[in-house]
Amino acid sequence: MSEFDDQTPLLPLARIEELRSLLHRANRFYYVEADPIMSDGEFDRLLAELARLEEAHPDSHDPDSPTSRVGGEPVSGFETVPHARRMMSIDNTYSIEDVRAWHERVVKALDGEVPAYVCEPKIDGVAINLRFENGRLAAAVTRGDGERGDLVTSNVRAMDSVPLVLADDPPAVLEVRGEIYMPEAAFERINAGREARGEQLFANARNSTAGTLKSLDPAVIRARGLRFCAHGRGEILGLEDVTTYSELLGRIRALGLSVSTRTKACSTIEAVIECIEAFGLERGDVGFATDGMVVRVDAFAAQESLGETAKAPRWCIAFKYPAEQAVTRLLKVDWQVGKGGTLTPRATMEPVLVAGTTVQHATMHNIEEIRRKDIRIGDRVVIEKAGEIIPQIIEPVPAERSGAEEEILPPADCPECSGVVEQEGPKLYCTNPECTAQFRERLKWFVGRGQMDIDGFGEKLVDQLLDAGLVSHFADLFRLTRKDLLALERMGETSADNVLAALREARGRGLARVLAGLGIRHIGTSAAKILAGAFADADALLAAKEDELEALPDFGAITAKSLHDYLASESARSTFSLLAEVGVSLESDRSGVVDESSVFNAQVVVITGTFAEFKRSELAERLESLGAKVTGSVSAKTTLLVAGENAGSKHAKAESLGVEIWDEPRLVEELTRLQS
Ligand SMILES: [Zn+2]
């Protein structure tokens, strides 16, 4: 039992209140004070307890409960709304001389008085205006064109780092401006995930933040770990006693909003310049992307007397740090295989000092870029390190060539597994699903719900098995013994027996699930079903000609060629024969063929809202197995909307289009009828 558990049993409503305030406080200590009062696991456990209690006591409803951050329907778009006060941008410069000139102008305009300045790192994120009314988050609006921005309140509510309710004694209206950004660790985690799924990577944390904020699904946003840092004010009613920016930061921090821990008060321009230079040396280590230092006049009265130009305030300037460059020699290029099978060139160079660190490796993005820039082994190359980003090779210096330089060739086969390498667009991929570099992620996919659906097989077990060296092919899973499993940490006898039973069951899933599970390039769940519909078993598929594959519905020339090349490879033959050896069925599962009398057959179905008896993903799978095509949004093609509780905008749209709408009881009735 932890200190946050219900020590002396409270009435449910009192416990709900206690949990709400505890969780609000936990967020504040985590994000604002950087001094967590509980672990993430504890937080999730208490949040779950609160959700259970709230469900049992609907009269306790509070729109700002910590449980309300996600759970609404994904939004369908963003409304553009005006700002109460214009959101201006800041003049910026790359030159220290310009900062001095700005200082001179400020002093002159203030009749010779040198004002107190505040320096603050400029975070590279997305600017936002948060409006709190009577202490509650009322609106979040992006900068937009400064006059109007996108209303993204529901997405910002999903960020644990933004309080829904202010602490202390909040003013009637408080508009705080700041930056929403993604810490480097979260950025790297997200890109690793995108790479594993073969999706395009975000170029930097700022793009990733902007992309996340535009996401239509609050649950995605919550999982991405966005942060907020306040750096300005909009409309404020109350706080009349606050007369400087530094006081304002202190007050809003006490209200529960994050502010920079690196602001510095400077009383002379020399101190400002020292601060800019000092941060230039350490900004690579702060854990998030910054691109400059904002210098502002602290006192609001002085700010007002300085005023603004048409574009920007005169009381503020941003110094931007230049990207640093250096020249060195390119020694060799290796191809690294990512978790999604992409082969990325990695340059090794003669070590060189750039932006304060010695650099020996750089990224060159992809083979097309290497060709376009005509970079060769042995070239002198210009490299650039822009703060947080991995150094990259900008261009070669052809004038310094000796003639001995060599062209950079794409690898003939995968450096990790010797699998077939395929180029798609500018990128190269290893097509072998059992490639050592990719296998961990592939195996997690293989055992997952839509694929082989092996019960009790979480990511952790996959990690344990790989770390123990027990599995290096998909087929090895089915060779696992009770003894193997019991040797794993925290594996009891019952769990081991359950895993073995699940593996036995999964052997019979049939060819479509196996193909989907292997994660062959271009072959997702629906393509796998088409293949299993067209070929009786794996042998028939392995013998298929390229034009036979191309003739299949939804198979284009690229998919057909890629699949044919893979099927012809050594690795494909071995994957299938090993699976057959351990008794995995590679026959098309004829029982899965759709019953044409099903009422769902050939329907185009959209599922919305929440259901008492189903998860949406399970329901979609079930309806698909009954012949329906399940899509994400209501259109003229939709023939049926299955609407649970809180169906929202899709319901309205379906109604306006005259689409048939079923509620959950009606759905259950039809499903029961099909079963009998
Ligand atoms: Zn490989």
Side-chain angles (χ1 to χ4, degrees), residues 337 341 343 413-421 429-438:
V337 190
L343 270 67
D413 44 29
C414 173
E416 293 281 343
C417 74
S418 312
V420 176
V421 169
Y429 294 89
C430 165
T431 61
N432 174 15
E434 294 189 313
C435 176
T436 33
Q438 314 168 42

Side-chain angles (χ1 to χ4, degrees), residues 187-380:
F187 170 63
E188 279 159 21
R189 181 167 50 78
I190 286 159
N191 257 356
R194 292 178 78 85
E195 178 157 29
R197 292 187 299 275
E199 296 168 8
Q200 177 150 24
L201 300 190
F202 288 119
N204 55 46
R206 209 203 76 81
N207 290 1
S208 179
T209 304
T212 300
L213 261 190
K214 275 192 248 147
S215 164
L216 300 178
D217 186 353
V220 168
I221 297 164
R222 176 143 201 265
R224 291 245 172 120
L226 294 181
R227 296 295 186 104
F228 171 77
C229 180
H231 58 51
R233 58 185 177 139
E235 185 179 29
I236 298 180
L237 299 176
L239 301 186
E240 279 80 12
D241 57 319
V242 174
T243 59
T244 66
Y245 178 68
S246 24
E247 279 171 44
L248 179 72
L249 290 182
R251 288 293 278 278
I252 59 183
R253 182 170 193 266
L255 291 169
L257 288 152
S258 302
V259 302
S260 174
T261 54
R262 292 167 193 277
T263 50
K264 195 168 184 332
C266 297
S267 55
T268 64
I269 189 64
E270 294 314 320
V272 165
I273 288 161
E274 215 169 275
C275 177
I276 289 173
E277 286 171 350
F279 186 67
L281 298 178
E282 62 179 273
R283 71 190 187 95
D285 306 321
V286 295
F288 50 88
T290 59
D291 62 353
M293 179 68 76
V294 176
V295 187
R296 77 182 83 208
V297 173
D298 196 21
F300 292 154
Q303 289 183 4
E304 267 144 46
S305 80
L306 287 161
E308 56 205 35
T309 67
K311 282 191 317 205
R314 289 196 185 90
W315 42 267
C316 176
I317 193 166
F319 174 82
K320 297 258 240 171
Y321 295 99
E324 281 195 44
Q325 293 193 336
V327 178
T328 182
R329 190 172 306 281
L330 175 61
L331 300 176
K332 66 168 183 163
V333 174
D334 296 311
W335 296 84
Q336 292 189 309
V337 190
K339 283 184 252 169
T342 38
L343 270 67
T344 315
R346 176 172 175 264
T348 302
M349 307 158 304
E350 281 171 3
V352 62
L353 195 68
V354 56
T357 49
T358 302
V359 163
Q360 197 172 358
H361 298 290
T363 170
M364 311 166 81
H365 302 290
N366 57 56
I367 187 72
E368 293 287 294
E369 178 152 311
I370 291 172
R371 287 184 182 138
R372 187 165 51 77
K373 292 179 174 171
D374 186 24
I375 304 171
R376 304 180 195 174
I377 309 269
D379 264 339
R380 296 271 289 163

Side-chain angles (χ1 to χ4, degrees), residues 166-188:
L166 295 178
D168 232 18
D169 182 21
V173 171
L174 175 66
E175 284 193 1
V176 171
R177 274 135 192 212
E179 210 76 2
I180 288 180
Y181 66 100
M182 184 175 285
E184 273 164 22
F187 170 63
E188 279 159 21

Side-chain angles (χ1 to χ4, degrees), residues 457-673:
F457 241 94
E459 300 209 343
K460 208 158 173 197
L461 181 53
V462 170
D463 286 333
Q464 281 182 302
L465 291 170
L466 288 172
D467 295 342
L470 288 167
V471 177
S472 46
H473 294 277
F474 294 115
D476 294 343
L477 284 180
F478 302 93
R479 287 187 215 275
L480 289 171
T481 63
R482 199 160 185 270
K483 198 170 147 225
D484 289 338
L485 292 169
L486 287 174
L488 300 174
E489 209 177 305
R490 267 181 283 176
M491 172 69 73
E493 305 216 341
T494 320
S495 316
D497 289 339
N498 288 343
V499 166
L500 290 173
L503 283 166
R504 271 196 299 279
E505 193 196 322
R507 280 192 174 90
R509 299 255 187 265
L511 186 61
R513 295 290 204 100
V514 172
L515 291 175
L518 292 179
I520 303 163
R521 281 188 60 66
H522 308 292
I523 306 301
T525 310
S526 64
K529 280 186 191 155
I530 291 168
L531 288 170
F535 298 95
D537 55 28
D539 286 339
L541 176 62
L542 286 164
K545 301 214 168 57
E546 195 173 324
D547 53 358
E548 277 178 83
L549 297 172
E550 197 178 332
L552 294 172
D554 295 340
F555 275 58
I558 291 175
T559 305
K561 174 165 192 329
S562 164
L563 176 61
H564 188 260
D565 286 353
Y566 165 67
L567 292 171
S569 73
E570 198 64 45
S571 47
R573 307 261 154 186
S574 111
T575 301
F576 285 105
S577 71
L578 287 171
L579 284 169
E581 235 170 69
V582 295
V584 171
S585 162
L586 298 176
E587 296 187 3
S588 300
D589 175 15
R590 294 289 156 182
S591 68
V593 171
V594 170
D595 171 8
E596 293 196 356
S597 67
S598 147
V599 61
F600 297 102
N601 193 39
Q603 295 251 40
V604 180
V605 181
V606 173
I607 302 172
T608 186
T610 52
F611 297 86
E613 291 198 33
F614 313 94
K615 277 192 181 167
R616 264 195 263 176
S617 59
E618 289 165 7
L619 186 56
E621 208 171 294
R622 183 132 172 225
L623 297 186
E624 276 175 348
S625 75
L626 292 167
K629 182 174 179 205
V630 178
T631 65
S633 58
V634 176
S635 73
K637 289 186 184 155
T638 309
T639 59
L640 175 65
L641 181 79
V642 176
E645 291 295 309
N646 305 317
S649 62
K650 288 181 186 169
H651 192 280
K653 184 151 186 212
E655 250 176 354
S656 74
L657 290 170
V659 172
E660 185 167 357
I661 300 174
W662 290 4
D663 60 8
E664 186 165 3
R666 174 73 199 277
L667 175 71
V668 171
E669 191 184 313
E670 292 292 345
L671 289 172
T672 320
R673 187 180 325 205

